[in-house]
């Protein structure tokens, strides 16, 4: 049996929040419009900014966050 190396990247709070929202959205459809607006407002505040010093890993994480945000909030 071979052991797979563990990733050193830990999920960020916004990524965990987005994942929780997606899972909750699948389980409990029909949330209020106000709840959806609040969630998107909070996620929008955490949209990534980029720097020349970003690593490929941080760029990939930022791209994933933007992709989830677009899927959840429509852009």
């Amino acid at each position: 049996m071979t052991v797979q190396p563990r990733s050193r990247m830990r999920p960020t709070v916004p990524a965990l929040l987005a994942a929780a929202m997606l899972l909750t959205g699948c389980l409990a459809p029909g949330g209020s419009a106000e709840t959806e607006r609040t969630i998107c407002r909070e996620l929008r505040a955490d949209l990534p900014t980029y720097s020349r010093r970003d690593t490929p890993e941080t760029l990939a994480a930022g791209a994933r966050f933007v992709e989830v945000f677009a899927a959840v909030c429509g852009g």
Side-chain angles (χ1 to χ4, degrees):
M1 176 170 105
T2 60
V3 176
Q4 296 293 325
R6 296 181 86 186
S7 172
R8 292 181 188 208
M9 292 185 61
R10 291 175 38 187
T12 62
V13 172
L16 292 173
L17 175 62
M21 279 186 358
L22 289 174
L23 292 174
T24 302
C26 293
L27 296 174
S32 74
E34 182 61 32
T35 299
E36 291 177 14
R37 281 192 296 274
T38 300
I39 290 169
C40 289
R41 183 183 68 236
E42 294 301 317
L43 282 175
R44 189 172 286 111
D46 287 328
L47 282 170
T49 57
Y50 297 97
S51 163
R52 281 187 256 159
R53 295 185 306 203
D54 283 334
T55 65
E57 292 82 13
T58 59
L59 292 171
R64 282 191 305 270
F65 185 86
V66 169
E67 186 177 323
V68 169
F69 178 81
V72 172
C73 300

